Amino acid sequence: MTDERVHIRPEIAVLPAYKQGRQAEASAFKLSSNENPFPPLPGVVEAVQAQTAFNRYPDATALAVRAELAHRFGTGVDEVHVAPGSVAILHELAKATAGPGDEVVYAWRSFEAYPGVVTVAGATSVQVPNRPDGGHDLDAMAAAVTERTRMLVVCTPNNPTGPVVTAAEFEAFMASVPPTLLVVLDEAYAEFVTDPDAVRGPALLERYPNLVVLRTFSKAYGLAGLRVGYALGPAYVLDAVRACAIPLSVTAQGQAAALASLERESELLERVSEIAALRDRVVTSLREQGWDVPDAQGNFVWLPTGAHTQHAAERFEQAGIIVRAFASEGIRISIGEHEAVGTLLETARSLVGDLQATE
Ligand SMILES: Cc1ncc(COP(=O)(O)O)c(C=O)c1O
C-alpha cells in the first residue's frame, strides 16, 4: 500500500503539528496559552459585529490597519505588514529568506513554532541554548552565524522562560553580526514589559536596516481568536514577505477589531498593567517559596521543574489549573484570572517542598 501514497517531504512527514496549550474544562483555569483573561472591550465587539458582508473578500492589504500602525510608529505604510498572527509572518519571513542549505538561528528553548517554521521553509534550524538565567545567550547566537545563516530570531521577552534582552545587549549584538543578516525581533509580549532597560524594537528600525520587528494583537490586545499580527521593517523585505503570504487571510472582522482596539488602547493597556502587576506579585511569592524563577517580563512565569515536570503539571491540573509543560525542563504558567492566583501559589508551595525533598 505504501507505494500508493502521495509523496510527503521526509522532513515534513516527521514534523509534529503545532501543539496548542491544552483546552480546559469549564471549571478549570486555562493558563497554558498566554492568552489575555479579559473579554473583548464592548466597542471592539461592536466593530466586529458591524462586519457582516461575509460574501465579500476582505481588504487584502489591511490598509487601514497598516496606515494606523504606520502613523503610530512613524513609518511608511509599506514598512508595515499585517498577517493572520505574527506566527504567519514568521513563516513568510523564513520562506522569503531561507531555503534548502540555509540556516536560521534562534535561542532554545524559545517559542514552540520556530522549529516548524524553519523546517517548512526547507532550511535548517540552529538552536542556541539559553543562559542559565533563561535569557538569550547573544554572544553564542552571534558566534553561531555562518555564511549560510539567512535569518536570526531574538525573542524578547523569551517565551517560555520570561527574561528580556536589554537595549545594551541588543545593540552590542547587532554590532557583531553582518548587516546583511535578517534579524527578527519577536516582541509578541512587548506591552507587558516593565523593565526600563529592555530593548524596544520600533525605535531601532531606522538604525538597523536589517531589522524586522514582530508584534501581535493576540496577547495584550486580547484578540488571539481573531488572528492579527504585524511586522515593522524595510519595505523591500516586507514586499518579499507579502509575496510569500497566503492572500486575503486577515479577515475584515480581524481588521475591524484591531482598529477598534487601537482606538481604545489606553483602556486595554490599563488591563495590561494589571496583568503585569499580578505577574510581579506571583514571581515574588514563588521566589519566597524557594522557586528559582527567571525574570518574568511577559504574561507568564516559568517554573524550572526539570525531571519532575510531568508530575508538577499533573498536580496543577488536579488543582484546576492547566499549565504548559515542557518535558524534563519546566512549566510555563500564564498570568490569567486573579481568582486563579491563590490556587496557583498553594499548589506551587506544596510542590516546591516535594521537589526539594527528592533532590
Ligand atoms: C514569542 C511568540 N511569538 C509569536 C507568537 C504568535 O502569536 P500570534 O500568531 O497569535 O500573533 C507567539 C504566540 O504564542 C509567541 O509566544
Side-chain angles (χ1 to χ4, degrees), residues 6 58 80 88 94-95 104-105 115 127 145 165 176 186 207 211 217 222 254 281 284 299 320 325 345 352:
V6 298
V80 184
K95 282 188 220 151
V104 177
V105 175
Q127 300 183 336
V145 172
V165 167
S176 71
D186 184 344
R207 182 151 162 211
L211 178 65
F217 285 96
R281 279 191 4 233
T284 306
N299 61 342
L345 291 175
V352 77

Side-chain angles (χ1 to χ4, degrees), residues 76-114:
V77 173
D78 291 342
E79 292 164 323
V80 184
H81 169 57
V82 172
S86 52
V87 72
I89 309 178
L90 284 162
H91 275 282
E92 294 158 5
L93 282 162
K95 282 188 220 151
T97 59
D102 296 333
E103 293 174 353
V104 177
V105 175
Y106 53 89
W108 202 248
R109 179 159 289 275
S110 190
F111 179 36
E112 281 291 273
Y114 295 155

Side-chain angles (χ1 to χ4, degrees), residues 3-26:
D3 48 6
E4 285 174 9
R5 291 160 63 109
V6 298
H7 175 75
I8 307 286
R9 286 163 50 198
E11 68 275 26
I12 301 297
V14 294
L15 180 67
Y18 178 78
K19 198 162 158 271
Q20 186 174 24
R22 282 256 324 273
Q23 299 297 327
E25 312 270 314

Side-chain angles (χ1 to χ4, degrees), residues 57 96 144 147-148 176 197-198 250 260 298 326 359:
Y57 286 114
E147 59 191 18
R148 290 186 300 282
S176 71
D197 295 332
V250 185
F326 297 92
E359 262 161 21

Side-chain angles (χ1 to χ4, degrees), residues 18 33-34 84-88 90 110-112 114 155-159 186-189 214-219 224 227-230 300 332:
Y18 178 78
S33 295
N34 292 350
S86 52
V87 72
L90 284 162
S110 190
F111 179 36
E112 281 291 273
Y114 295 155
C155 183
T156 177
N158 187 49
N159 171 15
D186 184 344
E187 295 191 314
Y189 302 94
L214 295 187
R215 294 220 171 164
T216 181
F217 285 96
S218 297
K219 308 292 179 184
R227 313 302 304 126
V228 191
Y230 61 96
F300 51 90
R332 188 194 70 198

